[in-house]
Amino acid sequence: MKPRIEVVALDCLMVRLFDEIAESNMPWMLAAGARLRESFAGHLIDLVPSYTTLMVHYDLLALNPMQARELIGQALEGLHADAQARGRRHVLPVWYDPSVGPELHLLAQRSGLSVDEVIARHSGREYQVFALGFAPGFAFMGLVEEALAAPRLDTPRKRVAAGSVGIAERQTAAYPLVSPGGWNLIGRTPAKLFDRTRDGYSLLQPGDSVRYEAVSHAEFMRLGGDDTPLEVST
């Protein structure tokens, strides 16, 4: 690992730890994030992690860019990753059904698997939360196995229901709010992913791990799910 510092704005620097996305990056990202928060202390306005980078937004009235670079260098000196370090573990119940996951059959056809096999494979592994973005509480997770990978829709939908679970390339995510979106939808979760009354607002945070658990329609409804079918028009 050879960290690089890139300028994003006058008061913002990007620390690039890796060039490729990998699940093995996460312990290093967590360790670097902790060191940077400690190093900048009260002068840190925000720290935004992504797949391979950490964006450091600092107080320009307290630090000049050179001082900020020096703090980053000090924070990363002798950095060690704890392979056991991780965030919280979550289990998200999902009702996998074509009425709320219109690409479920398409993914089965693309992969040569049955619908039940697609569901079993998607819910059969644990995913890391790499980053938050696109919408409040929207967590980019991965990596989905190659057989289930699928490109985004050519034309995004104008309206995707909250809780919709989808796949894009080798990423998976659940939409926290009603929004436009172009991911391949395969089901829906009743979990409340974004809550203004929750500390940090988002249920999921970078470094957390998520496993989807297939549930019946009855269980989905018992947990407060909305089974309104998704409109197939874009």
Side-chain angles (χ1 to χ4, degrees):
M1 183 183 67
K2 295 180 179 179
R4 302 193 303 275
I5 301 175
E6 304 167 4
V7 177
V8 177
L10 190 60
D11 58 352
C12 201
L13 294 170
M14 185 79 78
V15 181
R16 185 172 301 279
L17 297 182
F18 302 96
D19 292 318
E20 296 182 358
I21 298 172
E23 293 169 297
S24 58
N25 294 352
M26 189 52 63
W28 292 94
M29 300 293 290
L30 292 173
R35 284 278 196 92
L36 288 167
R37 289 188 181 90
E38 180 181 355
S39 182
F40 277 78
H43 303 324
L44 185 68
I45 295 175
D46 199 7
L47 183 68
V48 183
S50 187
Y51 301 92
T52 59
T53 62
L54 290 156
M55 189 174 72
V56 181
H57 183 195
Y58 60 92
D59 184 355
L60 192 60
L61 297 178
L63 301 171
N64 62 44
M66 182 60 69
Q67 290 172 320
R69 285 177 176 269
E70 290 175 353
L71 287 179
I72 291 173
Q74 293 170 11
L76 300 183
E77 185 176 357
L79 183 68
H80 294 285
D82 180 357
Q84 305 303 316
R86 60 176 61 211
R88 294 174 298 169
R89 286 184 169 90
H90 306 266
V91 176
L92 299 185
V94 178
W95 176 43
Y96 293 91
D97 190 83
S99 66
V100 294
E103 278 74 58
L104 188 56
H105 284 296
L106 176 62
L107 260 63
Q109 293 171 3
R110 288 174 58 97
S111 63
L113 302 170
S114 69
V115 168
D116 286 344
E117 286 175 319
V118 170
I119 295 171
R121 292 197 182 198
H122 184 257
S123 60
R125 65 188 303 172
E126 199 171 80
Y127 302 101
Q128 286 188 346
V129 177
F130 288 110
L132 300 180
F134 171 64
F138 190 99
F140 293 87
M141 295 176 261
L143 293 169
V144 173
E145 63 174 284
E146 290 280 5
L148 302 184
R152 287 175 171 82
L153 303 180
D154 291 335
T155 303
R157 292 185 171 88
K158 295 179 181 178
R159 187 181 189 280
V160 175
S164 295
V165 175
I167 291 174
E169 304 300 342
R170 294 194 64 194
Q171 301 174 104
T172 184
Y175 286 76
L177 306 167
V178 175
S179 69
W183 289 44
N184 299 272
L185 304 182
I186 58 176
R188 193 175 292 174
T189 178
K192 193 170 186 179
L193 302 169
F194 177 76
D195 186 349
R196 290 182 176 86
T197 66
R198 178 188 291 128
D199 184 26
Y201 303 118
S202 176
L203 173 66
L204 308 177
Q205 296 292 333
D208 287 358
S209 59
V210 173
R211 183 175 63 81
Y212 295 105
E213 181 179 68
V215 298
S216 66
H217 177 256
E219 179 66 5
F220 174 76
M221 296 302 292
R222 188 189 70 80
L223 294 171
D226 177 6
D227 65 352
T228 304
L230 190 75
E231 295 182 9
V232 295
S233 58
T234 56

